[in-house]
Amino acid sequence: MEVIKTDCGLCINCCGVNAYVENGKLVKVEGTKENPISKGRLCPKGDRLMDMLYSPSRLKYPMKKVNGHFQRISWDDAIGEIATKLQQLKDKYGAHTLATWTGSVGVEHFEMAAFNQRFKGAFGTPNFFNPEGMCFRTRILARQITFGRYPVEEPVNANCILLWGRNPDESYPPVGRIVRERVEAGAKLVTIDPRRIPISRLGIYLQPRPGTDGAIALAMMNVIIEEHLWDKEFVEKYTFGFDKLAEHVREFTPEKAEMISSVPASEIVRTARIFATTKSACILEGVGHMNQFANGLQTNRAYSILMAITGNVDVPGGWVTCPQVRLADLRLPQEENNLGWDEFPVFHQFSKRPPPYGSAGLMTEVMKTEKPYPIKAFISSGSNPLLTFPDTKLFLEGIKNLELFVNIDPNMTETGYLADYVLPACTFLEETGIGGFPYGISYCEPYVMLRKKVVEPLYESKPIWLIWTELGRKMGYAEHFPWNTDEEVAEHFFSTSGVTMKDLTDHPAGVYFGKKEYRLFEKVPFATTSGKIELFSSRMVELGHSGLPVHMEPHQSAVANPEIVKEYPEILLTGNRQVEYINAQMHDVTALRARIPDAEVEVNPITAAKYGISHGELVGIETPRGSIRMKANVTQDIKPGVVSVPHGWAEANCNILLDAQLKDPVSGYITMNSNACRLVKLRI
Ligand SMILES: Nc1nc2c(c(=O)[nH]1)N[C@H]1C(S)=C(S)[C@@H](COP(=O)(O)OP(=O)(O)OC[C@H]3O[C@@H](n4cnc5c(=O)[nH]c(N)nc54)[C@H](O)[C@@H]3O)O[C@H]1N2
Ligand SMILES: Nc1nc2c(c(=O)[nH]1)N[C@H]1C(S)=C(S)[C@@H](COP(=O)(O)OP(=O)(O)OC[C@H]3O[C@@H](n4cnc5c(=O)[nH]c(N)nc54)[C@H](O)[C@@H]3O)O[C@H]1N2
Ligand code: SF4
Ligand SMILES: [Mo]
């Protein structure tokens, strides 16, 4: 039996995996002990990688829809027909008629996003979209605005941790373990979450009204400044705009924040004092959730500022700047601006180098309206947008308007059924590529490995880089796609990184490619306009937004829209993570399904009583956009008036409830949280 050391590409944690292979078949997986982050552990999903690989949902060969039915087709014919159609559409509507999309897998599966971008560059369309337009980019952008770089949380050395809209036990198990270890060692923990998540019982718990975290953060600044708890030397030397900030938050008292957030003023004061006086302190903010409400970007700015004024930047246990592996850039020059350039200037224009993706929040709207131009071809990979893209109705309207829709996925997904062509990609266990890639971005560990091919691609599936390469070559872009094997591709990516293929093969479980450096600011100025940490950002003002963080009401709150709240009085959260599933994936794995058989809506007993709803009953959840049904989980562990549903369930797709018109005005992200809803008792 051969043991291959690789990593788990199911989620961004990239835990180390020892894969046992016998006669070309994966027969067992276990965690790699020497992996510095996962340390030999796998979550329940990682334990079931064999079920993922050998899933009955695997797509075995390319298929084409003919008269509403899928028919098997050869790879050559599929690639040939798609290339011909793309060329026709390009000739008719211009290159920007093609939009491509990669899902969350395209974040940790580096080659997927890179080859997609290579192709769209060769084709000449600006339209590449990915979860950076709806997921974690806001947190990165807010930190770049503030620090001119992206310092990452380092809870492993923290003595005070603010778990702010993040439930790592479910979404980032290795982080959950670090937090628990730190608390056991004496660190203070404050959890700020409308849901009383289990880890919150280890410390102080604040239960805010959803979407009001910016107000709490502003009041914490007020306390820290009023009580002279800020790090005076650090602020004086390394920050810009402190006077403006002090003036700005003077009115933002804990009492005012209590009125907005419902968190008692005394609790806000207590949290501010603990946070400012414990060295080091670390805000662990939500990765997705904290970006997916109306005030997402400004709230993220507020967290950066709290870290800065308490001197918790580039010190052990604070937010630390970590070296990032410099992989080769496959992007080709782009002439046209991305969609969203004018509507969301902070997102697109803040940095000198614009982001290489459009505003995902506009993608389906443009497909539907054909404004500013028609998007008629759509190639989606590593995603299941029918279930995961907010505002399903709009997504369907957009898709209906297409003349070509290609879905690339190892599985026949709900989205795949809508496509004109489905192409079978292999999974990360069937190709060699980049592994452990995001550690520098999410863990402050500059660690990388080769993600190894464990078994040959199943059925007729192919690596995603090869699918784009074949399509590119067919379209006459062969010069841009010179690579022929997984190894050549990986070697090319690492060629700019300082890490050699020899380093990677000599260290199958991974290598450190750099060293994190504390107190970097003493050597390297912050890459902002002022060269300092920008508490106040004049560039934000130039781009039409407040240069200091603000509180903004959720679009459909009782304050912002009392009319809608009369009919839809509860507050909806969507997408709380469950460790068993990853977005819309793994729901078909029997062992995992046995743990959570049904989609459940979490409701407080007070809210349930209003509707006469009992625990375990099937209930309706409604918004002005649509309705779904889920089993009621009546629990004290959620704030009264708040209703929380998971995402990614085909039989109860919560994205039907969302409205793509409701966006964070700064980032352009569609709001997935803090929208109005109501419950309905079903009469059967
Ligand atoms: N098992 C599993 N892991 C995953 C994923 C998955 O689907 N399954 N998805 C991956 C992806 S794509 C992402 S982006 C990350 C997401 O990771 P995160 O965004 O960090 O999501 P969670 O860890 O679920 O924590 C979000 C918490 O925020 C709380 N919350 C909601 N609204 C508010 C609010 O207004 N204020 C405050 N203070 N809290 C609020 C929710 O109740 C929830 O407990 O997880 C990744 N990891
Ligand atoms: N309402 C609501 N909606 C949400 C969220 C929420 O919190 N609430 N979260 C949002 C966030 S943060 C994100 S990131 C998105 C995620 O949304 P998606 O990225 O659409 O989610 P997944 O279900 O993980 O889809 C991944 C797909 O990739 C396929 N896949 C797996 N491995 C490979 C591979 O190696 N190659 C290829 N080609 N495909 C592969 C899987 O079969 C699966 O179909 O969802 C968003 N949607
Ligand atoms: S947390 Fe689970 S799914 Fe994510 S990488 Fe680790 S084992 Fe895989
Ligand atoms: Mo995400």
Side-chain angles (χ1 to χ4, degrees):
M1 190 157 11
E2 195 186 356
V3 184
I4 300 172
K5 287 185 193 292
T6 186
D7 74 339
C8 173
L10 258 184
C11 90
I12 199 162
N13 292 292
C14 298
C15 300
V17 170
N18 296 344
Y20 290 74
V21 180
E22 201 170 32
N23 300 327
K25 227 179 155 270
L26 178 65
V27 291
K28 182 179 145 186
V29 291
E30 66 183 18
T32 308
K33 292 218 167 46
E34 58 270 38
N35 184 292
I37 291 138
S38 56
K39 296 182 176 161
R41 297 199 190 84
L42 297 176
C43 82
K45 297 183 293 303
D47 279 336
R48 310 306 307 189
L49 283 181
M50 274 157 23
D51 297 81
M52 180 212 72
L53 178 64
Y54 298 115
S55 164
S57 312
R58 287 292 298 260
L59 187 57
K60 296 193 172 59
Y61 34 75
M63 289 200 283
K64 169 191 184 175
K65 203 181 269 162
V66 182
N67 299 327
H69 297 281
F70 278 111
Q71 288 180 358
R72 184 173 184 171
I73 176 175
S74 71
W75 267 108
D76 275 355
D77 287 349
I79 294 288
E81 289 179 21
I82 294 167
T84 305
K85 185 74 186 173
L86 281 174
Q87 191 59 49
Q88 284 167 359
L89 294 172
K90 184 176 177 180
D91 293 344
K92 189 166 170 196
Y93 300 107
H96 53 207
T97 202
L98 169 66
T100 63
W101 162 258
T102 60
S104 66
V105 179
V107 177
E108 41 270 15
H109 187 314
F110 188 79
E111 305 90 292
M112 181 186 293
F115 272 80
N116 185 330
Q117 291 182 74
R118 184 79 164 180
F119 180 87
K120 74 98 191 169
F123 190 85
T125 175
N127 293 320
F128 168 63
F129 300 96
N130 72 357
E132 305 228 13
M134 62 156 84
C135 178
F136 57 90
R137 178 51 58 172
T138 301
R139 75 183 336 243
I140 299 180
L141 180 59
R143 293 185 200 187
Q144 286 171 335
I145 290 170
T146 315
F147 305 106
R149 52 187 192 228
Y150 177 49
V152 183
E153 303 95 297
E154 201 201 41
V156 75
N157 290 313
N159 290 313
C160 169
I161 294 170
L162 262 57
L163 215 44
W164 208 325
R166 187 164 183 183
N167 184 10
D169 286 341
E170 305 287 339
S171 64
Y172 275 64
V175 174
R177 288 193 289 269
I178 292 170
V179 174
R180 285 169 187 277
E181 279 163 20
R182 288 311 300 156
V183 172
E184 222 156 88
K188 295 163 186 146
L189 176 70
V190 183
T191 304
I192 307 173
D193 197 312
R195 298 163 59 232
R196 187 189 289 270
I197 52 177
I199 203 168
S200 69
R201 301 196 192 277
L202 303 182
I204 297 170
Y205 172 57
L206 312 184
Q207 192 170 57
R209 170 163 73 90
T212 62
D213 303 273
I216 298 171
L218 287 166
M220 283 174 63
M221 290 176 211
N222 170 294
V223 174
I224 290 167
I225 295 174
E226 288 296 312
E227 299 189 3
H228 285 261
L229 301 177
W230 79 92
D231 185 331
K232 301 194 181 61
E233 196 190 328
F234 185 82
V235 166
E236 172 70 27
K237 257 185 160 159
Y238 298 110
T239 70
F240 170 80
F242 184 75
D243 293 345
K244 281 198 173 73
L245 177 76
E247 181 62 35
H248 180 65
V249 300
R250 186 166 303 136
E251 300 295 310
F252 230 103
T253 59
E255 291 70 25
K256 179 169 171 173
E258 176 176 339
M259 299 261 290
I260 295 169
S261 68
S262 86
V263 174
S266 58
E267 291 293 290
I268 297 175
V269 173
R270 177 157 79 129
T271 301
R273 286 179 186 155
I274 293 172
F275 175 70
T277 58
T278 315
K279 298 291 171 202
S280 295
C282 189
I283 296 179
L284 279 185
E285 60 183 284
V287 180
H289 269 71
M290 283 293 101
N291 308 315
Q292 294 158 343
F293 64 103
N295 201 33
L297 191 123
Q298 290 288 18
T299 302
N300 274 277
R301 271 272 290 154
Y303 299 151
S304 295
I305 290 171
L306 277 172
M307 291 298 287
I309 62 173
T310 49
N312 282 305
V313 180
D314 280 352
V315 294
W319 286 5
V320 180
T321 308
C322 189
Q324 295 192 5
V325 67
R326 302 271 165 227
L327 297 171
D329 188 348
L330 294 199
R331 284 173 287 202
L332 296 166
Q334 176 182 321
E335 278 167 20
E336 221 173 319
N337 283 336
N338 284 322
L339 285 171
W341 178 269
D342 296 319
E343 295 88 335
F344 307 108
V346 171
F347 191 76
H348 291 279
Q349 301 177 37
F350 190 90
S351 306
K352 284 192 195 83
R353 272 185 71 197
Y357 30 77
S359 284
L362 294 175
M363 185 176 86
T364 46
E365 201 173 312
V366 175
M367 281 179 186
K368 180 187 168 186
T369 60
E370 307 195 4
K371 290 195 177 77
Y373 46 74
I375 288 179
K376 292 290 178 186
F378 181 51
I379 305 181
S380 174
S381 61
S383 181
N384 194 352
L386 179 68
L387 300 188
T388 57
F389 207 92
D391 201 337
T392 313
K393 195 170 160 207
L394 186 64
F395 177 77
L396 286 168
E397 287 167 345
I399 293 299
K400 222 168 101 189
N401 226 357
L402 297 170
E403 293 181 30
L404 176 68
F405 177 12
V406 180
N407 197 55
I408 310 175
D409 202 287
N411 297 304
M412 191 62 199
T413 63
E414 290 75 6
T415 304
Y417 282 109
L418 300 174
D420 301 308
Y421 292 86
V422 285
L423 304 179
C426 60
T427 68
F428 64 89
L429 292 167
E430 298 151 82
E431 59 183 313
T432 293
I434 292 131
F437 165 71
Y439 285 158
I441 335 178
S442 58
Y443 276 102
C444 218
E445 294 289 343
Y447 194 76
V448 75
M449 73 167 83
L450 209 54
R451 178 172 285 172
K452 281 120 201 134
K453 183 194 280 190
V454 168
V455 297
E456 288 302 318
L458 296 184
Y459 319 110
E460 289 188 14
S461 69
K462 294 188 184 197
I464 188 103
W465 69 263
L466 186 57
I467 300 174
W468 283 114
T469 295
E470 289 182 356
L471 190 59
R473 288 177 181 167
K474 194 77 185 176
M475 295 208 65
Y477 315 141
E479 62 181 304
H480 297 306
F481 293 94
W483 307 280
N484 290 306
T485 60
D486 290 5
E487 288 70 24
E488 278 177 28
V489 171
E491 193 162 357
H492 179 73
F493 278 127
F494 281 111
S495 63
T496 51
S497 71
V499 183
T500 64
M501 289 301 270
K502 185 168 182 319
D503 295 334
L504 294 163
T505 42
D506 285 352
H507 302 93
V511 281
Y512 278 91
F513 56 82
K515 251 183 94 184
K516 61 184 161 192
E517 229 178 310
Y518 301 116
R519 305 189 72 79
L520 189 65
F521 48 80
E522 285 172 351
K523 284 203 253 164
V524 186
F526 293 95
T528 54
T529 319
S530 61
K532 295 186 169 191
I533 298 173
E534 302 212 332
L535 309 177
F536 169 78
S537 166
S538 50
R539 182 90 182 111
M540 287 276 288
V541 176
E542 273 167 37
L543 296 170
H545 291 278
S546 170
L548 291 160
V550 291
H551 162 68
M552 184 188 143
E553 275 295 318
H555 299 292
Q556 298 184 327
S557 78
V559 180
N561 191 343
E563 278 310 301
I564 208 158
V565 171
K566 277 187 204 152
E567 285 203 44
Y568 299 92
E570 320 306 338
I571 303 171
L572 179 67
L573 306 181
T574 69
N576 59 300
R577 267 46 181 174
Q578 299 171 315
V579 77
E580 287 76 7
Y581 304 120
I582 171 86
N583 303 310
Q585 298 181 71
M586 306 296 274
H587 294 74
D588 58 352
V589 176
T590 315
L592 299 174
R593 197 59 183 252
R595 292 164 59 124
I596 305 185
D598 302 300
E600 292 182 0
V601 48
E602 290 169 29
V603 198
N604 187 280
I606 297 173
T607 319
K610 248 172 75 178
Y611 295 89
I613 287 169
S614 328
H615 185 70
E617 184 181 341
L618 198 64
V619 296
I621 306 134
E622 294 186 352
T623 70
R625 284 301 276 166
S627 66
I628 58 170
R629 293 170 175 201
M630 282 189 189
K631 203 165 127 180
N633 174 6
V634 179
T635 165
Q636 295 282 359
D637 290 339
I638 186 163
K639 193 174 175 68
V642 178
V643 164
S644 173
V645 295
H647 76 308
W649 287 80
E651 54 276 56
N653 175 6
C654 71
N655 280 307
I656 287 172
L657 302 173
L658 300 183
D659 183 344
Q661 302 308 317
L662 306 176
K663 297 189 179 82
D664 174 340
V666 193
S667 68
Y669 282 28
I670 300 171
T671 64
M672 303 189 197
N673 296 300
S674 318
N675 298 327
C677 75
R678 68 181 169 217
L679 296 174
V680 181
K681 187 170 172 72
L682 302 175
R683 314 221 171 263
I684 304 163

PDB file of all heavy atoms in Angstrom, residues 403-421:
ATOM      1  N   GLU A 403     -27.131  32.308 -24.412  1.00  0.00           N
ATOM      2  CA  GLU A 403     -27.169  31.447 -25.605  1.00  0.00           C
ATOM      3  C   GLU A 403     -26.209  30.268 -25.454  1.00  0.00           C
ATOM      4  O   GLU A 403     -26.244  29.335 -26.243  1.00  0.00           O
ATOM      5  CB  GLU A 403     -26.835  32.274 -26.852  1.00  0.00           C
ATOM      6  CG  GLU A 403     -27.925  33.297 -27.152  1.00  0.00           C
ATOM      7  CD  GLU A 403     -27.645  34.121 -28.400  1.00  0.00           C
ATOM      8  OE1 GLU A 403     -27.002  33.633 -29.338  1.00  0.00           O
ATOM      9  OE2 GLU A 403     -28.084  35.290 -28.410  1.00  0.00           O
ATOM     10  N   LEU A 404     -25.327  30.349 -24.451  1.00  0.00           N
ATOM     11  CA  LEU A 404     -24.426  29.220 -24.173  1.00  0.00           C
ATOM     12  C   LEU A 404     -24.108  29.187 -22.684  1.00  0.00           C
ATOM     13  O   LEU A 404     -23.658  30.178 -22.117  1.00  0.00           O
ATOM     14  CB  LEU A 404     -23.109  29.378 -24.958  1.00  0.00           C
ATOM     15  CG  LEU A 404     -22.050  28.302 -24.665  1.00  0.00           C
ATOM     16  CD1 LEU A 404     -22.483  26.944 -25.186  1.00  0.00           C
ATOM     17  CD2 LEU A 404     -20.694  28.682 -25.271  1.00  0.00           C
ATOM     18  N   PHE A 405     -24.354  28.039 -22.069  1.00  0.00           N
ATOM     19  CA  PHE A 405     -24.037  27.878 -20.654  1.00  0.00           C
ATOM     20  C   PHE A 405     -23.291  26.550 -20.493  1.00  0.00           C
ATOM     21  O   PHE A 405     -23.819  25.487 -20.798  1.00  0.00           O
ATOM     22  CB  PHE A 405     -25.332  27.889 -19.826  1.00  0.00           C
ATOM     23  CG  PHE A 405     -25.143  27.650 -18.337  1.00  0.00           C
ATOM     24  CD1 PHE A 405     -23.893  27.683 -17.735  1.00  0.00           C
ATOM     25  CD2 PHE A 405     -26.241  27.397 -17.530  1.00  0.00           C
ATOM     26  CE1 PHE A 405     -23.731  27.466 -16.378  1.00  0.00           C
ATOM     27  CE2 PHE A 405     -26.094  27.181 -16.159  1.00  0.00           C
ATOM     28  CZ  PHE A 405     -24.839  27.198 -15.584  1.00  0.00           C
ATOM     29  N   VAL A 406     -22.036  26.649 -20.033  1.00  0.00           N
ATOM     30  CA  VAL A 406     -21.209  25.456 -19.837  1.00  0.00           C
ATOM     31  C   VAL A 406     -20.912  25.323 -18.344  1.00  0.00           C
ATOM     32  O   VAL A 406     -20.509  26.297 -17.709  1.00  0.00           O
ATOM     33  CB  VAL A 406     -19.869  25.583 -20.616  1.00  0.00           C
ATOM     34  CG1 VAL A 406     -19.013  24.340 -20.404  1.00  0.00           C
ATOM     35  CG2 VAL A 406     -20.118  25.839 -22.097  1.00  0.00           C
ATOM     36  N   ASN A 407     -21.127  24.148 -17.790  1.00  0.00           N
ATOM     37  CA  ASN A 407     -20.831  23.919 -16.374  1.00  0.00           C
ATOM     38  C   ASN A 407     -19.736  22.856 -16.251  1.00  0.00           C
ATOM     39  O   ASN A 407     -19.853  21.778 -16.823  1.00  0.00           O
ATOM     40  CB  ASN A 407     -22.092  23.458 -15.632  1.00  0.00           C
ATOM     41  CG  ASN A 407     -21.940  23.605 -14.129  1.00  0.00           C
ATOM     42  OD1 ASN A 407     -21.632  24.693 -13.645  1.00  0.00           O
ATOM     43  ND2 ASN A 407     -22.125  22.531 -13.382  1.00  0.00           N
ATOM     44  N   ILE A 408     -18.670  23.211 -15.540  1.00  0.00           N
ATOM     45  CA  ILE A 408     -17.535  22.286 -15.378  1.00  0.00           C
ATOM     46  C   ILE A 408     -17.471  21.876 -13.913  1.00  0.00           C
ATOM     47  O   ILE A 408     -17.307  22.736 -13.042  1.00  0.00           O
ATOM     48  CB  ILE A 408     -16.200  22.968 -15.788  1.00  0.00           C
ATOM     49  CG1 ILE A 408     -16.330  23.626 -17.178  1.00  0.00           C
ATOM     50  CG2 ILE A 408     -15.065  21.964 -15.759  1.00  0.00           C
ATOM     51  CD1 ILE A 408     -15.096  24.426 -17.609  1.00  0.00           C
ATOM     52  N   ASP A 409     -17.608  20.591 -13.646  1.00  0.00           N
ATOM     53  CA  ASP A 409     -17.680  20.139 -12.252  1.00  0.00           C
ATOM     54  C   ASP A 409     -17.438  18.625 -12.221  1.00  0.00           C
ATOM     55  O   ASP A 409     -17.779  17.940 -13.179  1.00  0.00           O
ATOM     56  CB  ASP A 409     -19.086  20.442 -11.688  1.00  0.00           C
ATOM     57  CG  ASP A 409     -19.116  20.503 -10.179  1.00  0.00           C
ATOM     58  OD1 ASP A 409     -19.015  19.437  -9.525  1.00  0.00           O
ATOM     59  OD2 ASP A 409     -19.245  21.617  -9.641  1.00  0.00           O
ATOM     60  N   PRO A 410     -16.863  18.117 -11.154  1.00  0.00           N
ATOM     61  CA  PRO A 410     -16.730  16.648 -11.067  1.00  0.00           C
ATOM     62  C   PRO A 410     -18.097  15.965 -10.965  1.00  0.00           C
ATOM     63  O   PRO A 410     -18.215  14.788 -11.277  1.00  0.00           O
ATOM     64  CB  PRO A 410     -15.954  16.431  -9.763  1.00  0.00           C
ATOM     65  CG  PRO A 410     -15.329  17.743  -9.437  1.00  0.00           C
ATOM     66  CD  PRO A 410     -16.219  18.794 -10.017  1.00  0.00           C
ATOM     67  N   ASN A 411     -19.100  16.711 -10.514  1.00  0.00           N
ATOM     68  CA  ASN A 411     -20.407  16.109 -10.245  1.00  0.00           C
ATOM     69  C   ASN A 411     -21.484  16.677 -11.149  1.00  0.00           C
ATOM     70  O   ASN A 411     -21.361  17.786 -11.674  1.00  0.00           O
ATOM     71  CB  ASN A 411     -20.795  16.370  -8.783  1.00  0.00           C
ATOM     72  CG  ASN A 411     -19.818  15.699  -7.843  1.00  0.00           C
ATOM     73  OD1 ASN A 411     -19.608  14.498  -7.915  1.00  0.00           O
ATOM     74  ND2 ASN A 411     -19.204  16.487  -6.976  1.00  0.00           N
ATOM     75  N   MET A 412     -22.558  15.915 -11.279  1.00  0.00           N
ATOM     76  CA  MET A 412     -23.745  16.449 -11.934  1.00  0.00           C
ATOM     77  C   MET A 412     -24.493  17.207 -10.834  1.00  0.00           C
ATOM     78  O   MET A 412     -25.107  16.616  -9.950  1.00  0.00           O
ATOM     79  CB  MET A 412     -24.592  15.293 -12.480  1.00  0.00           C
ATOM     80  CG  MET A 412     -25.688  15.754 -13.398  1.00  0.00           C
ATOM     81  SD  MET A 412     -25.019  16.590 -14.868  1.00  0.00           S
ATOM     82  CE  MET A 412     -26.444  17.475 -15.433  1.00  0.00           C
ATOM     83  N   THR A 413     -24.437  18.522 -10.885  1.00  0.00           N
ATOM     84  CA  THR A 413     -25.022  19.318  -9.810  1.00  0.00           C
ATOM     85  C   THR A 413     -26.366  19.894 -10.250  1.00  0.00           C
ATOM     86  O   THR A 413     -26.729  19.832 -11.421  1.00  0.00           O
ATOM     87  CB  THR A 413     -24.098  20.498  -9.458  1.00  0.00           C
ATOM     88  OG1 THR A 413     -24.007  21.348 -10.611  1.00  0.00           O
ATOM     89  CG2 THR A 413     -22.710  20.033  -9.053  1.00  0.00           C
ATOM     90  N   GLU A 414     -27.043  20.516  -9.304  1.00  0.00           N
ATOM     91  CA  GLU A 414     -28.319  21.184  -9.604  1.00  0.00           C
ATOM     92  C   GLU A 414     -28.099  22.235 -10.696  1.00  0.00           C
ATOM     93  O   GLU A 414     -28.932  22.416 -11.576  1.00  0.00           O
ATOM     94  CB  GLU A 414     -28.878  21.853  -8.335  1.00  0.00           C
ATOM     95  CG  GLU A 414     -29.372  20.881  -7.272  1.00  0.00           C
ATOM     96  CD  GLU A 414     -28.256  20.191  -6.494  1.00  0.00           C
ATOM     97  OE1 GLU A 414     -27.078  20.529  -6.674  1.00  0.00           O
ATOM     98  OE2 GLU A 414     -28.593  19.279  -5.705  1.00  0.00           O
ATOM     99  N   THR A 415     -26.966  22.913 -10.642  1.00  0.00           N
ATOM    100  CA  THR A 415     -26.658  23.917 -11.665  1.00  0.00           C
ATOM    101  C   THR A 415     -26.376  23.251 -13.002  1.00  0.00           C
ATOM    102  O   THR A 415     -26.803  23.739 -14.056  1.00  0.00           O
ATOM    103  CB  THR A 415     -25.429  24.755 -11.232  1.00  0.00           C
ATOM    104  OG1 THR A 415     -25.705  25.328  -9.955  1.00  0.00           O
ATOM    105  CG2 THR A 415     -25.124  25.847 -12.231  1.00  0.00           C
ATOM    106  N   GLY A 416     -25.676  22.113 -12.944  1.00  0.00           N
ATOM    107  CA  GLY A 416     -25.338  21.402 -14.170  1.00  0.00           C
ATOM    108  C   GLY A 416     -26.572  21.097 -15.012  1.00  0.00           C
ATOM    109  O   GLY A 416     -26.535  21.195 -16.243  1.00  0.00           O
ATOM    110  N   TYR A 417     -27.670  20.760 -14.361  1.00  0.00           N
ATOM    111  CA  TYR A 417     -28.899  20.431 -15.101  1.00  0.00           C
ATOM    112  C   TYR A 417     -29.410  21.603 -15.944  1.00  0.00           C
ATOM    113  O   TYR A 417     -30.151  21.404 -16.896  1.00  0.00           O
ATOM    114  CB  TYR A 417     -29.992  19.946 -14.135  1.00  0.00           C
ATOM    115  CG  TYR A 417     -29.770  18.513 -13.696  1.00  0.00           C
ATOM    116  CD1 TYR A 417     -29.369  18.211 -12.405  1.00  0.00           C
ATOM    117  CD2 TYR A 417     -29.931  17.460 -14.608  1.00  0.00           C
ATOM    118  CE1 TYR A 417     -29.140  16.894 -12.017  1.00  0.00           C
ATOM    119  CE2 TYR A 417     -29.695  16.144 -14.229  1.00  0.00           C
ATOM    120  CZ  TYR A 417     -29.302  15.864 -12.929  1.00  0.00           C
ATOM    121  OH  TYR A 417     -29.064  14.569 -12.565  1.00  0.00           O
ATOM    122  N   LEU A 418     -29.002  22.812 -15.588  1.00  0.00           N
ATOM    123  CA  LEU A 418     -29.463  23.986 -16.342  1.00  0.00           C
ATOM    124  C   LEU A 418     -28.601  24.272 -17.571  1.00  0.00           C
ATOM    125  O   LEU A 418     -28.951  25.090 -18.409  1.00  0.00           O
ATOM    126  CB  LEU A 418     -29.416  25.232 -15.452  1.00  0.00           C
ATOM    127  CG  LEU A 418     -30.261  25.225 -14.179  1.00  0.00           C
ATOM    128  CD1 LEU A 418     -29.969  26.476 -13.370  1.00  0.00           C
ATOM    129  CD2 LEU A 418     -31.735  25.151 -14.541  1.00  0.00           C
ATOM    130  N   ALA A 419     -27.427  23.617 -17.625  1.00  0.00           N
ATOM    131  CA  ALA A 419     -26.433  24.001 -18.640  1.00  0.00           C
ATOM    132  C   ALA A 419     -26.725  23.380 -20.004  1.00  0.00           C
ATOM    133  O   ALA A 419     -27.501  22.441 -20.127  1.00  0.00           O
ATOM    134  CB  ALA A 419     -25.050  23.581 -18.151  1.00  0.00           C
ATOM    135  N   ASP A 420     -26.059  23.940 -21.031  1.00  0.00           N
ATOM    136  CA  ASP A 420     -26.127  23.348 -22.368  1.00  0.00           C
ATOM    137  C   ASP A 420     -25.103  22.225 -22.501  1.00  0.00           C
ATOM    138  O   ASP A 420     -25.318  21.257 -23.219  1.00  0.00           O
ATOM    139  CB  ASP A 420     -25.832  24.420 -23.430  1.00  0.00           C
ATOM    140  CG  ASP A 420     -26.832  25.562 -23.346  1.00  0.00           C
ATOM    141  OD1 ASP A 420     -28.036  25.270 -23.358  1.00  0.00           O
ATOM    142  OD2 ASP A 420     -26.401  26.733 -23.242  1.00  0.00           O
ATOM    143  N   TYR A 421     -23.965  22.410 -21.844  1.00  0.00           N
ATOM    144  CA  TYR A 421     -22.927  21.379 -21.837  1.00  0.00           C
ATOM    145  C   TYR A 421     -22.459  21.188 -20.396  1.00  0.00           C
ATOM    146  O   TYR A 421     -22.297  22.173 -19.676  1.00  0.00           O
ATOM    147  CB  TYR A 421     -21.699  21.809 -22.655  1.00  0.00           C
ATOM    148  CG  TYR A 421     -21.959  21.911 -24.141  1.00  0.00           C
ATOM    149  CD1 TYR A 421     -22.469  23.094 -24.689  1.00  0.00           C
ATOM    150  CD2 TYR A 421     -21.689  20.835 -24.990  1.00  0.00           C
ATOM    151  CE1 TYR A 421     -22.711  23.192 -26.052  1.00  0.00           C
ATOM    152  CE2 TYR A 421     -21.936  20.939 -26.366  1.00  0.00           C
ATOM    153  CZ  TYR A 421     -22.451  22.112 -26.888  1.00  0.00           C
ATOM    154  OH  TYR A 421     -22.685  22.212 -28.235  1.00  0.00           O
TER     155      TYR A 421
END
